Amino acid sequence: MQVQLPIFPLNTVVFPGVTVPLHVFEERYRALVHHLLTISEKPERLFGIVAIREGYEVGSHGVQSVHRVGCVVQMTSVDPYPDGRFDIEVVGRRRLRLDALDTSGSYLVGDVETVDEARIDTPEGVHEALRTRETFEEYRRRLSHLRGDDVLDGDLPRDPEFLSYSLAATCLLTLQERQALLEASGPLDRLIMLRHALREEMRAMRAIPSLPATEVARTSWSPN
């Protein structure tokens, strides 16, 4: 079923189950937050985030085009500034497909359809999740060794779907790689893609032992 949602283009990819802080300062997106605050039921404070394909979040050139597959998010907290800016926190709820975008109002509004996720509560799915977790744990140990500190910690989801989203959000990946993961047909394909990306990253670590440090497995996620 197609619905209309406010749309917030960003230079990042947001995944279901993952919590993301946002600093809102542009007038168009301040208007979006003001609109959300008029909705009394907090679970209904929903909008869509899509990654920018061409252009910039702000400035004279602005957003030229966006990716069609994004994420429905819920605004879970808001902290206003006296000058009209906001710090907000959102959590991803489900994937969306953007069919049309209306730019005529005070904020962007899109015609969207939610994208169902294929379930993999099967022995194959559980096995793939286990293999990907093991690959990530090896990656995390090697990264900690390169940093010269303790092994990075952080609990990971057991559910294959949320595991795939959590790793997609926290691993060292380009925007294009994250977008491809978001667009994957389901958790099974996403886990396989992630395992391949982690192995490629570990090969890079062996070749270049001075890679910059990163914060891994510390992005908050929520299955609710």
Side-chain angles (χ1 to χ4, degrees), residues 110-121:
D111 296 330
V112 306
E113 294 181 46
T114 56
V115 180
D116 292 331
E117 189 78 9
R119 302 296 300 177
I120 55 169
D121 297 330

Side-chain angles (χ1 to χ4, degrees), residues 7 29 33 40 52 59-60 70 97 115 120 128 130 151 155 170:
I7 298 294
Y29 304 121
V33 173
S40 58
I52 297 171
S60 58
R97 180 176 291 107
V115 180
I120 55 169
E128 287 297 336
L130 178 60
V151 175
D155 294 331
T170 56

